[in-house]
Amino acid sequence: MVAARPVAAASAAEPATETGRLPSRRRRRVVGQVFAWIALTVLGVVFIYPFVWLVSASFKPRGEVFDNRLIPETFTLDNYVSVWQEAPLALWLLNTVIVTVLAATTVTFSSAMVAWGFSYFRFRGRNALFGLVLATMMLPGAVTMIPTFLIWNALGQVGTLTPLWAGNLFGSAFYIFLMRQFMLGLPRDLFDAARVDGASQFGVFWRVALPLSKPVLAVTFIFEVQAVWTDLMRALIYLRDSDTFTVPRGLKSLVDAYGFGGEWHWEIIVTASVITTLPMIIVFFLAQRKIIDGVASSGLKG
């Protein structure tokens, strides 16, 4: 009985020690969350400040564009009226929409067909051929720029919108890799059942594989929309006439005309930049869930 008392006392002291540890762990967790929220808030402000400044400058007269006030001292809507008169912005937006839709649609389906071939069919040298496709991503764009230009020039397409989207008919190595990783995780029994029911190889791809691959198809389409909408390099190379300019090429011409060495109408430039940026912001907010789901499912099923 005498020896049992210290043991009982020690066992009674253990819960007190554990309860003392719990608040300290909870306190550290709360402190960590607070620091994480502070860091995210600071980074969010840093990233969003340039766009907020751009929007604010678009409502200012010419003399106040660079005064660094986020709330305009002189608020005006004249810039949003003048920009449509100073530049064919509506035509540039239409050209960009046409190129973007064609480029995103063609690269999505062409890449899906190639990815389906690498994921479904079993043939000798499949992995080596797929590695060769991936190796094309290591080539800098400057290496193929001149040969590609010579091809389009020989076809008489320089000065048209065709070179800005028609190259996507042959797919993209990155999108092929992304889709292949997703399609490898699809249940092969469904494809075999479709073949037993009499579906052709293309029928299996069109009626079974594509509907099951909607998340990765959506991600590919959205990624390409963003890439083509902001593409300036190809527009500078192939477009000559203002009537065929896309939005990035048109903004470049505005900078040349009203910016450095021009008439210094920076209020026109920032207003045009806001108008052409808004569609991408809308696309991101509408499609952010599909982007996250598509990328996550591609990584998990690969």
Side-chain angles (χ1 to χ4, degrees):
M1 296 295 295
V2 176
R5 290 179 181 178
V7 176
S11 61
E14 288 180 359
T17 304
E18 291 296 329
T19 55
R21 292 176 183 175
L22 288 177
S24 62
R25 293 177 180 176
R26 190 177 297 111
R27 193 180 303 112
R28 287 196 298 269
R29 189 181 302 113
V30 171
V31 172
Q33 291 177 350
V34 169
F35 276 110
W37 280 106
I38 293 175
L40 290 175
T41 302
V42 172
L43 290 175
V45 171
V46 170
F47 280 103
I48 202 174
Y49 175 80
F51 182 72
V52 174
W53 181 93
L54 190 72
V55 174
S56 175
S58 67
F59 293 105
K60 298 177 183 178
R62 186 189 313 175
E64 300 179 7
V65 171
F66 295 104
D67 61 3
N68 288 328
R69 288 191 179 96
L70 294 183
I71 300 178
E73 184 177 5
T74 304
F75 188 88
T76 179
L77 294 174
D78 294 341
N79 298 334
Y80 284 89
V81 177
S82 301
V83 69
W84 302 98
Q85 301 171 353
E86 298 292 336
L89 191 58
L91 181 59
W92 295 346
L93 287 170
L94 178 61
N95 292 337
T96 309
V97 170
I98 293 173
V99 172
T100 300
V101 171
L102 289 175
T105 303
T106 53
V107 80
T108 299
F109 285 102
S110 59
S111 299
M113 292 183 67
V114 179
W116 166 252
F118 280 120
S119 63
Y120 178 74
F121 295 104
R122 302 289 189 266
F123 55 90
R124 183 176 300 177
R126 183 185 67 162
N127 293 332
L129 185 58
F130 182 67
L132 184 62
V133 172
L134 294 183
T136 60
M137 292 193 296
M138 303 179 187
L139 291 175
V143 174
T144 59
M145 188 179 298
I146 295 177
T148 304
F149 176 83
L150 293 176
I151 292 173
W152 289 119
N153 187 49
L155 295 174
Q157 296 300 313
V158 174
T160 68
L161 297 175
T162 304
L164 275 63
W165 67 269
N168 286 351
L169 289 168
F170 305 100
S172 168
F174 172 73
Y175 297 142
I176 291 171
F177 168 75
L178 187 68
M179 292 185 181
R180 175 184 177 271
Q181 297 305 106
F182 183 91
M183 291 179 178
L184 285 174
L186 297 178
R188 194 177 181 86
D189 293 341
L190 293 177
F191 308 140
D192 296 337
R195 291 288 293 164
V196 171
D197 291 339
S200 61
Q201 296 287 5
F202 184 79
V204 174
F205 166 72
W206 185 260
R207 298 177 183 177
V208 182
L210 282 187
L212 293 175
S213 303
K214 285 182 179 179
V216 73
L217 293 175
V219 169
T220 300
F221 188 89
I222 295 167
F223 278 7
E224 189 64 16
V225 165
Q226 188 275 332
V228 176
W229 189 272
T230 59
D231 183 19
L232 175 61
M233 181 62 69
R234 284 186 292 182
L236 281 172
I237 294 173
Y238 295 105
L239 301 183
R240 300 288 184 267
D241 190 2
S242 176
D243 293 338
T244 62
F245 281 179
T246 57
V247 163
R249 183 66 181 90
L251 291 179
K252 177 64 170 60
S253 66
L254 287 181
V255 172
D256 295 337
Y258 299 115
F260 297 105
E263 301 177 8
W264 299 96
H265 290 290
W266 287 103
E267 74 281 3
I268 300 297
I269 298 174
V270 297
T271 304
S273 301
V274 172
I275 293 174
T276 55
T277 303
L278 286 177
M280 285 297 96
I281 296 177
I282 295 172
V283 168
F284 172 78
F285 278 108
L286 293 178
Q288 58 179 332
R289 181 176 295 276
K290 291 185 178 297
I291 294 175
I292 295 173
D293 292 345
V295 173
S297 58
S298 297
L300 290 175
K301 293 186 178 183

